[in-house]
Amino acid sequence: MPKIVTTDFFANGKCVWRKEYPTTLTTEQIEKEVAYIADIGYGTVEAVTDSTGRYIRIDPSQETE
């Protein structure tokens, strides 16, 4: 059975989105997910963690195009 990496996206101190993928997400994939989460109204993502132990803090003052 292949290993699945679970990535959690946090906004306002709560997990608002979870993505399961066969590998760790790239920076570009994370940026797309963060933009999508904001577009659907789930809030501004502040941090991302995954089941490999990776933690990424999102700086909201850094806008991506």
Side-chain angles (χ1 to χ4, degrees):
M1 178 176 236
K3 182 180 177 186
I4 299 294
V5 178
T6 303
T7 306
D8 296 324
F9 296 81
F10 293 86
N12 300 318
K14 297 179 184 177
C15 180
V16 296
W17 194 258
R18 175 171 281 166
K19 179 147 186 140
E20 294 178 342
Y21 205 69
T23 62
T24 58
L25 296 178
T26 65
T27 302
E28 293 81 18
Q29 289 171 314
I30 290 173
E31 288 174 353
K32 286 179 183 176
E33 289 294 323
V34 167
Y36 177 72
I37 292 165
D39 286 346
I40 61 173
Y42 281 21
T44 301
V45 173
E46 301 155 348
V48 178
T49 64
D50 69 25
S51 57
T52 67
R54 185 168 64 160
Y55 173 82
I56 301 168
R57 185 170 180 185
I58 308 292
D59 184 359
S61 65
Q62 304 243 337
E63 294 294 321
T64 58
E65 304 259 339

